[in-house]
Amino acid sequence: MSIMGTRVVRTEDPVFLSRGATYTDDLTDERLNGALHLTLVRSPLAHARITAVDVEAAREAPGVVAVFTGADVDLAPALLFAGANPGMVRPWLATDKVRFVGEPVAAVLTEQVYQGQDAADLVEVDYDPLPAVVDPRAALADEVLLFEEVGTNLAGGFGHDKEFDEHLFDDCDVVVTRDIVNQRLAASPLETRAAAAVWGDDGRVTLWASTQNPQSARDEIAGWLGIDAALIHLIAPDVGGGFGAKIGADPEFALVVWLAKAVGRPVRWAETRSENLTGMLQGRAQLQTITIGGNRDGDVLAYRLDILADAGAYPRLGVFLPFFTRQMAPGVYDIPKVESRARTVVTTTTSTGAYRGAGRPEATAAIERAMDLFAAEIGKDPAEVRKRNVVPPDAFPFETKGGAVYDSGEYAKAIDRVLEGAGYAELRAEQAARRERGDVVQLGIGVSAYVEITGGGAFSEDASVEVHADGTVTVLTGTSPHGQGHATAWSMLASEHLGIPIEKITVKHGDTDLIPRGSGTMGSRSLQTGGVAVHQAAGELVELAKRRAADVLEASVDDLEVAEGAVTVKGTDTSVTLAQLAEKEQLKVDTVFDSGAPTFPFGAHVAVVEVDIESGKAVVDRIVTLDDAGPIVNPLLAEGQRHGGIAQGISQALLEEVVYDSEGNPLTATFADYAFPSAAELPSFTLLDMATPTNLNPLGAKGIGEAGTIGATPAVQSAVIDAVSYLGVRHIDMPTSPLRVWEAINAARVESGAGSDSSEGAQQ
Amino acid sequence: MIPVAFSYARPDSVDGALALLAEHGEDATILAGGHSLLPVMKLRLGAPEVVIDIGRLPELRYIRVQGDEVAIGAGTRHRDLEASDVLGSDVPLLAAVARTVGDPQVRHRGTIGGSLAHADPASDLPAAVLALDATIVLRSPRGERQVPATGFYTGMFSSVKEPDELIVEIRVPRTGSAGWAYEKFTRRANDWAIVGVAVVDGRVGLVNMGASPLRASATEAALADGASIDEAAALADQGTDPQTDVSATAEYRRHLARLLTRRALTTAAG
Amino acid sequence: MTISVNTSVKVGITVNGEETTADVEPRLLLVHYLRDVLGLKATNVGCDTTSCGACTVLVDGESVKSCTVLAVQADGQSVTTMEGLSPNSTELHPMAAAFRAEHGLQCGFCTPGMVMAAVSLLEENPTPTEREVREGLEGNLCRCTGYHNIVRAVLSASGQNPDAVQTTSVDADADQSPAGGVESAPGFSTGSGA
């Protein structure tokens, strides 16, 4: 019986559930004996000139071995993302200026971790405050510049150098436009950032770091330090979540390496949560203007998306992500005319990068909001309007007006199935009954349909499979997981070919000396690249074993089959085990799989919320999702990815937001203030399945890691608005907090007499 | 994050703790459950030189009926309040409010005396003891005094408790079958209340509607004058001075105070 | 009577059934005593504000957040960490086994604290409803699982069938309503008439 598609429990778990996983801060590697602990002195101001840094008192504090300031670091400030405005470089420790609260200003190395904060508190920095610029619209005005010598706050853009088509909406009877916010979020993996480095006598450095892609992190750090990447041995131990914010390296990792060299001792660093919520890359942070037009029958004829993205103080991946937002702008819809542009500006805030979905949730949230506004304007059911405009199943591969080529999809079917699964008609009836009764608790129903891009950007991945003489198997993979269960799934893929049970298969990842090439785990790419590479390697190993066995068994390769870890002459009991073959000669295959293109998983979600219209509080009562990522290797793992994604989607819609005051002070820099949800704020989830394969890889697999987030966010936001739409509310920005819902209801009631709430709608 | 270094003592009696408090004055602080104090110390928003640990004193951990009152030792933990049969039958409001404090781990450690002494305006228990017309018993080397809960709070994180005094007991009237309710409005289950309203026997305590927990006296007066619940609740924000923060504007807090008071009074009226 | 005020204190704590002693700074947090003095690294630190629960251990059988307890406060008491639940990785404690069977963990960072909180929850409430599980774990944050399978694991460990108890329908869980009647928030509106 095939192991594929079965609910295999994780091979990782017995250790995780007994002695616990080993994260970077847990390491007891003897090479780290005597390591110094790094404590960073961070800026309390968002924007200021540094006039003096006095570290003398800190140097005298107990346990202090060294204190460094920016002046001590002999590294050129680095452009942290190659596509950004080249002058927007970040110093390793701030020298002349600080540009966000949390920017490192001095580095304190102590014998004991408890001594670090004591000493750091003694570092005196004199600041001359400058005006903060927090709102990207204000940054765009270039009145306060973060980098005076650059002369602008514009960090990058896509399609922003040409004018919008003034005739885009000429054919439309109805045009709706709205400014919406896709708010800034903190990725908040439970493990904060951590690194440890030790230089060896051979002139190489071993760096342990909590990262999603060790090989890329190694290359980035080498580039920043100006050394050969071959000198860095980077190891990712167990990683406690990433969600995009641990893609690649952070400057602190490079600083740890540099400091270890400078003091000639191992150095360890693990940040606090308060540091994490100002230092780690944050996500989303787009201001969008959406304009949608069509006819009163419900045909959408034109769509425009104008993006102003917030890069934070020092441009990182956040500069690039609007590229994906533009590419996915039309969503699942076949819209005749689509145009978009994106501008990204620096602000005196934490830098932005990937967060679960990374540019695509922003696209889906925008088009789904636009579809709702359009449907409301023409007075039609939002689910019906969606179905009317989706790309039909016979149109694939389908090249969109966003410039993407969708591989396969059944969008209308997905919407139909999720509506049926949720009992959409009954829900509408229940909603009508509550409205009729004038209930305090009203029902809201939100429908979203989405398509997203997975495996984008890095299509190739290495894999190696080796059977050993003792019958065990080692799999090497370039995708380095942080909770996704690759050890289990990759074992299943190898086991399927070799017939060797997964208990005998070890999956290794995250060590750049062992696995020099790899692109890591991000963008829902792992199965369709790294997993397929393992599948391919195991298949090639079967063929290799057959060729070798043909000699041993004096049989034709065509007469041989591999099952239960042995090569057998078909129809006989003449066989040789793979282990025996390995005894004679190393039995190992290295391979590379290259899909050449990304895949486009899709789905539809229905969210049901209850809104207390007196207090404004919304609670998700139920969410039903259909997420189609093609055939599933292990439903237990795939469902887990969907659950986590759905929770983060609900949370963006209802709860989470990184907030800065006008002076750039973060107001959500602890978990007491940042609205990370607990089990008590979330419902259980209803998952529906559908599997439309892609032809871009032999498993037919697409990515599943981010789908839940991309679909759930607009469904829940839409449901909250839907609950109070009968009062005249058309839009509420996320998070749809009780305060915002209450204010929206009040505003609609005030305006309802004049009907001005819908005045933004009909512009033509 | 970790606290600034301090010296530590664990006296084996209340008298021992009082002697240490007298000796070290404002340099010292009392540690009971630690769930108000240690978070402040870890963030280095407070740095006492001497920490006097009373968290293990059996003489401070009890719940017992004394005539018309229930006497509760200051070291009684939230979990003890929550699970107490005596409170469940005689002062159900207090048990119910204790159940809404923090999360189970916090309730396993945090104490009623610590919560009242910390005087956080967003904390649940102070509003409950206000609504209950409780009495707070303070002891110092100078002796013992009883302060009505309504006269205990003086401002943000401050009370009439002198630096050499220790809360040793809270005396709560047995409300028995009187109607009661607690309405706590949060975004997340274990958040501090955006606004909370405790009602028992026609008295109304407000959480997070100003620098100190307070009673909704205009509402209470209206009720006493025979006003309807709706009319009385509409006055709940009178005399309050709520903050604007990330979760709520002052105006929204006023609205919530009125709304939650109406709901709590309605529930209490059964 | 003299009471000593100390800058270094000797603590004796029974951890996972074994006596441990050390001279420590009074400010040493219990979590760092476990991790750095004893080398028990399962218990993690995920925040600074007693919010996330990753550091949850049992002290005398009750769940506590060991980042908000001084080691010296646990002097003379008994502490259980996740390492103390299961004798080894092949003989998992029933709660740990349920987490595995239901895929109640992904990255694993919240897991030790979550498991300990769940053990304490069932100690106080052996047969909780789904809602009681969710509120009972409100002090433990997980970013990976969305809690769905954690809730299933705890229900399963309590001897209940999660498929039967877990509610995903709009009608079955009226107690989650944001204002069921006059209530305003799940679990936080109580009263004599409620």
Side-chain angles (χ1 to χ4, degrees), chain A residues 659-691:
Chain A
V659 182
Y660 294 90
D661 70 13
S662 61
E663 290 168 356
N665 298 304
L667 303 181
T668 48
T670 70
F671 274 169
D673 297 309
Y674 186 71
F676 187 132
S678 80
E681 286 75 57
L682 294 168
S684 290
F685 314 128
T686 304
L687 307 187
L688 304 176
D689 296 320
M690 200 161 90

Side-chain angles (χ1 to χ4, degrees), chain B residues 51-101:
Chain B
V51 169
I52 303 165
D53 183 359
I54 60 164
R56 307 267 284 273
L57 294 178
E59 63 181 296
L60 287 178
R61 193 171 175 187
Y62 56 85
I63 300 172
R64 58 185 171 235
V65 175
Q66 281 177 193
D68 291 340
E69 293 180 324
V70 176
I72 301 165
T76 303
R77 297 186 178 177
H78 304 322
R79 171 67 190 166
D80 301 334
L81 304 176
E82 180 185 347
S84 161
D85 291 337
V86 168
L87 291 180
S89 63
D90 290 8
V91 198
L93 172 70
L94 193 59
V97 171
R99 198 172 301 127
T100 73
V101 175

Side-chain angles (χ1 to χ4, degrees), chain A residues 56-80:
Chain A
E56 287 315 309
R59 284 203 171 111
E60 300 306 315
V64 172
V65 172
V67 182
F68 293 87
T69 68
D72 303 320
V73 182
D74 60 354
L75 291 171
L79 183 67
L80 298 177

Side-chain angles (χ1 to χ4, degrees), chain A residues 109-130:
Chain A
L109 293 173
T110 54
E111 297 284 356
Q112 303 293 328
V113 68
Y114 271 39
Q115 295 162 339
Q117 200 179 347
D118 294 344
D121 285 353
L122 299 174
V123 173
E124 287 190 24
V125 185
D126 293 338
Y127 296 101
D128 187 2
L130 295 166

